[in-house]
Structures are given as C-alpha cells and as structure tokens.
Amino acid sequence: PQLLRSLSYLLLHLGSYASAVEVFEKVLDLVPEEPQSHLDLALALFFHARQARLVDSSTRNAVLRRAVMCCAKVISGTWPARFAEIEWPALLALNWIVSYSVYAGCSAEDIWPSDELPVEKFRFEVRSNMLAWLAWDTDHTDIDLHVEEPSGEVVYYGHRYSKTGGRASRDFVDGYGPEVYINADAPAGIYKIKAKYYSSHQVSVATGATCAVLWQVTRLGDFARERLAVSMVRLNRHKQMQDVFQAEVCEGQEGNIPAFFAKEDTARAASLASVNNVLEACRIHASRVHACQVRA
C-alpha cells in the first residue's frame, strides 16, 4: 500500500486526478481498515470531479456522492486509537464537498449521507481564507505541518492557535495524518507552508523515504475564487524541515478570477528538493552497502 500511496500522491501533484482515483481505489481494496484509505480517495474523487468539469450531471453527481460517502465512512467508522480525531479533517472535507456539490447544482438532500450522519448535527458551511493539508504514505511515522503566518507567528503541533485565528489539528505521530491548518479570517500576506520529518518507526526498503502530499487552498468555500495547489515531497532525514509553498492571501477581491488548479513555482521547487533528498538517500544506502561488503 505504501508504494501505491506514493504513486497516487505523485499523480495528485501532476494533476492526473482520474489516475490518482484509480490507484487510491486499489489502496482501499488492500487496506480498508485504515481511515486514510477512504479519505485519500474522497479527496481525489472531489478534485477529479472539479478538474473534469463533467457535463453529464448524473456522472458528476455520482462521483461527488462517492466522495461524500468515503468521508462519511471515516466520520462514522470505528478505528484504532492511533487514528483518533481523524474525524475532524474528514468532517471538514465532507462539508466542503457537499457545499461545492450544491454550488454545482446538486440537491443537498440527495448528496448528504443522511443515513450515516444526521444533517442537523454534522452539516455546516465551510469558509476559510487559508487551508493547508498534509498527509503521508508511511505508517508509524510522524510528519509535522508548520505554517508561518505573515506576522512571523508559526502554527504547528506545539503552538496550535495563532493570534489571527489560525489553528492546527491534532499531531498525528503514529499513522498517515492528515495534519491540517485552517484560518477562516487569515489576514492578507504570504504564508510559508512547511513539512517536517520528525520521526519514524518504520523504514521502507521499497521507497527509501517517506512521501508526503501537501496541498493548500485559498478562499476555501468561495467557489468562484478558490485556488488549489498540490505538491508531493519526499523526506528521509530525521528532523528535516522542508519549505513546500508560499501562499498569498490577497486583500479584498482580485481583479482576475483565478483557476482552481494553480501551478506554483514553489511547489515545483519543493519537488526538485525531494528528488535531491531521494538521491542523497540512495548515496547513503550505497555507501552503507559498500561498507558492509568491505567488512565482509
């Protein structure tokens, strides 16, 4: 499953959402007992529906409905203790998808999973100037999300609430995340979004590093102006901190309405840094193998 997750995150980064859905379906078949399998698929389905701009409303609604049901499964399911509080980001994703579905012309009654989640208890409108979301492919691993606000204040697991109203979700130290930063009234300015490899109890011989996907959205819930950027990074060094995005929240309304799917130079730079991380890991591994051969 780890290798398939890595491939899926790369496909998300490349904007190949239909292919990412196909691979995430295989991950779900392999490990349905892990809530991340359902949540990853939900988001890939959602991004695919938005990217494809499906003209056939029945097809579009079916894709969105599947995404909604995947989120509902995470919220209503029973999971091992190490996945505690994954329901919060899943609930956020659920309401974002439902709100977009209504915006796109779906009936709220048809799209909401009322059999699993009472609408009066779980439904809310999602609006936020800034959202950042971090997930990773390696089990029993701790990757941390750090967001530096324009003031210089950094929000992360050790400082979860900022003066501007930013907040971070739970620190996942033994799973796949996700770790989320949200700031409904994020002030204008540049937000520096980073991923930190804190620790791992598992070393993958197949991939050699942990693959993390980090995406951010500005003007979340303002569907005419939402903007998404996705990046995949590979981390392999203890306590390694890597810059991934610099996202800008603008004051007032921009003159031009941006495309939902952004092409970020900073994301490409982060991916280049990830390639260098993998190359370094390969060199270290080769050096260790050579040293063992010499000793033998």
Side-chain angles (χ1 to χ4, degrees), residues 1-287:
Q2 180 185 355
L3 188 57
L4 290 176
R5 280 196 174 100
S6 297
L7 174 59
S8 300
Y9 292 159
L10 175 60
L11 291 168
L12 289 178
H13 171 66
L14 295 175
S16 300
Y17 296 107
S19 297
V21 167
E22 184 178 355
V23 180
F24 277 134
E25 291 277 16
K26 296 182 184 302
V27 174
L28 181 58
D29 287 342
L30 290 170
V31 281
E33 70 276 9
E34 295 177 346
Q36 189 68 41
S37 303
H38 302 267
L39 192 51
D40 279 339
L41 177 58
L43 291 165
L45 286 163
F46 179 45
F47 295 157
H48 168 54
R50 296 190 67 166
Q51 182 189 52
R53 297 178 182 174
L54 301 170
V55 177
D56 179 9
S57 60
S58 61
T59 302
R60 177 202 62 199
N61 293 357
V63 172
L64 293 170
R65 174 71 176 173
R66 178 82 196 287
V68 162
M69 294 308 296
C70 287
C71 289
K73 174 65 176 178
V74 177
I75 298 165
S76 61
T78 301
W79 312 107
R82 65 195 183 92
F83 298 121
E85 297 185 38
I86 196 173
E87 296 83 2
W88 182 78
L91 185 61
L92 179 67
L94 169 65
N95 280 281
W96 183 28
I97 295 168
V98 169
S99 292
Y100 173 78
S101 301
V102 173
Y103 170 81
C106 299
S107 164
E109 291 75 18
D110 290 341
I111 201 73
W112 184 263
S114 53
D115 290 343
E116 290 79 16
L117 304 171
V119 65
E120 63 276 6
K121 182 177 180 180
F122 291 95
R123 179 75 176 110
F124 58 87
E125 291 297 324
V126 179
R127 288 272 179 166
S128 181
N129 279 352
M130 172 61 67
L131 172 75
W133 183 294
L134 172 69
W136 53 92
D137 69 342
T138 311
D139 200 3
H140 305 296
T141 299
D142 183 8
I143 308 294
D144 295 318
L145 175 64
H146 290 240
V147 178
E148 181 179 336
E149 297 184 346
S151 66
E153 187 175 10
V154 179
V155 181
Y156 68 111
Y157 70 89
H159 182 66
R160 293 181 58 191
Y161 302 93
S162 73
K163 295 176 183 177
T164 65
R167 63 164 295 187
S169 62
R170 179 205 168 192
D171 179 26
F172 281 92
V173 300
D174 194 22
Y176 307 95
E179 294 194 8
V180 179
Y181 164 89
I182 190 167
N183 193 333
D185 300 310
I190 301 295
Y191 290 74
K192 298 177 181 178
I193 303 171
K194 309 175 184 183
K196 182 177 182 179
Y197 186 104
Y198 188 80
S199 65
S200 179
H201 305 294
Q202 175 173 304
V203 177
S204 170
V205 176
T207 63
T210 292
C211 172
V213 63
L214 204 160
W215 51 271
Q216 56 87 9
V217 181
T218 53
R219 296 189 179 279
L220 182 77
D222 181 357
F223 296 111
R225 294 183 177 274
E226 275 188 348
R227 190 168 175 83
L228 168 75
V230 181
S231 183
M232 185 195 80
V233 295
R234 296 181 69 80
L235 306 166
N236 62 286
R237 296 195 305 274
H238 181 59
K239 302 296 179 70
Q240 173 188 359
M241 178 81 80
Q242 183 165 317
D243 294 337
V244 182
F245 290 112
Q246 288 193 26
E248 183 176 9
V249 173
C250 298
E251 190 74 53
Q253 300 292 318
E254 297 95 335
N256 297 319
I257 297 177
F260 176 60
F261 298 96
K263 293 182 178 179
E264 296 287 347
D265 290 338
T266 52
R268 288 192 289 270
S271 295
L272 178 59
S274 294
V275 172
N276 291 330
N277 291 340
V278 174
L279 291 175
E280 180 183 352
C282 290
R283 286 192 291 268
I284 292 172
H285 178 69
S287 176

